[in-house]
Amino acid sequence: MEKRKIKNTDLSIAPVNFGGNVFGWTLDEKQSFDILDQFTSEGFNFIDTADTYSWWVNGKGGQSEEIIGKWMKSRSNRQDMVLATKVGSETKEHGFDISKKHILKSVDESLQRLQTDHIDIYYTHFDDNTTPVEETLSAYDVSITKANDKLHNL
């Protein structure tokens, strides 16, 4: 399958990504593994999820990232995948939140659930209408710096 380079990155993706909000909601872990296996066997490599999927099931979310993390670990294929996740959605525990404090906490939790040391694309799911853009961007900058420091220390 022909991959497309994401501009200004070294990431190459298949022209379709898989939205992971179904993992832990309408698909259990085994079904999720099966569909991810089928997806990647056809040459696709781009998975999109969010830290709060599927919050409507348990009130807080995280199931999708956990399933994707277990799947990547069991298949030893993290290096072949382009992984996107999002932050900022509401849950029963909190409203929409893209504050620096929330992002820095959430990125660490996402990395743990995904069982990886990096996220290829990390972005805002929803605006919260209170946090200044500069604060959100500074949180992303801190997250990138921390990730780069970890990679250099390996």
Side-chain angles (χ1 to χ4, degrees), residues 102-153:
H102 182 74
I103 290 172
L104 294 178
K105 177 180 179 281
S106 296
V107 71
D108 287 337
E109 293 170 349
S110 289
L111 288 166
Q112 288 176 359
R113 285 189 294 265
L114 291 162
Q115 299 184 46
T116 188
D117 62 354
H118 70 285
I119 297 166
D120 297 303
I121 302 171
Y122 190 58
Y123 53 105
T124 301
H125 204 166
F126 295 98
D127 289 334
D128 65 13
N129 297 320
T130 58
T131 304
V133 172
E134 295 81 7
E135 179 180 335
T136 302
L137 293 177
S138 75
Y140 289 139
D141 188 45
V142 169
S143 297
I144 291 168
T145 302
K146 281 175 56 177
N148 285 336
D149 289 347
K150 283 181 185 178
L151 288 174
H152 290 14
N153 290 327

Side-chain angles (χ1 to χ4, degrees), residues 1 15 17 21 23-24 47 66 76 88 106 109 150-151:
M1 173 173 304
N17 79 342
N21 73 338
F23 303 142
I47 302 171
E66 286 176 1
S76 299
S106 296
E109 293 170 349
K150 283 181 185 178
L151 288 174

Side-chain angles (χ1 to χ4, degrees), residues 10-11 23-24 36 55 57 64 82 96 106 121-122 124 151:
D10 60 355
L11 302 173
F23 303 142
L36 286 166
W55 74 266
V57 174
S64 177
V82 175
F96 298 110
S106 296
I121 302 171
Y122 190 58
T124 301
L151 288 174

Side-chain angles (χ1 to χ4, degrees), residues 56-98:
W56 46 93
V57 174
N58 70 355
K60 64 180 183 173
Q63 304 94 313
S64 177
E65 289 182 338
E66 286 176 1
I67 288 171
I68 293 167
K70 288 178 186 178
W71 174 77
M72 288 189 303
K73 185 174 184 176
S74 72
R75 304 307 190 258
S76 299
N77 66 356
R78 175 61 182 99
Q79 71 284 351
D80 301 322
M81 305 308 301
V82 175
L83 184 60
T85 195
K86 300 177 282 298
V87 64
S89 181
E90 67 180 337
T91 69
K92 287 184 181 175
E93 295 179 326
H94 60 76
F96 298 110
D97 191 350
I98 54 171

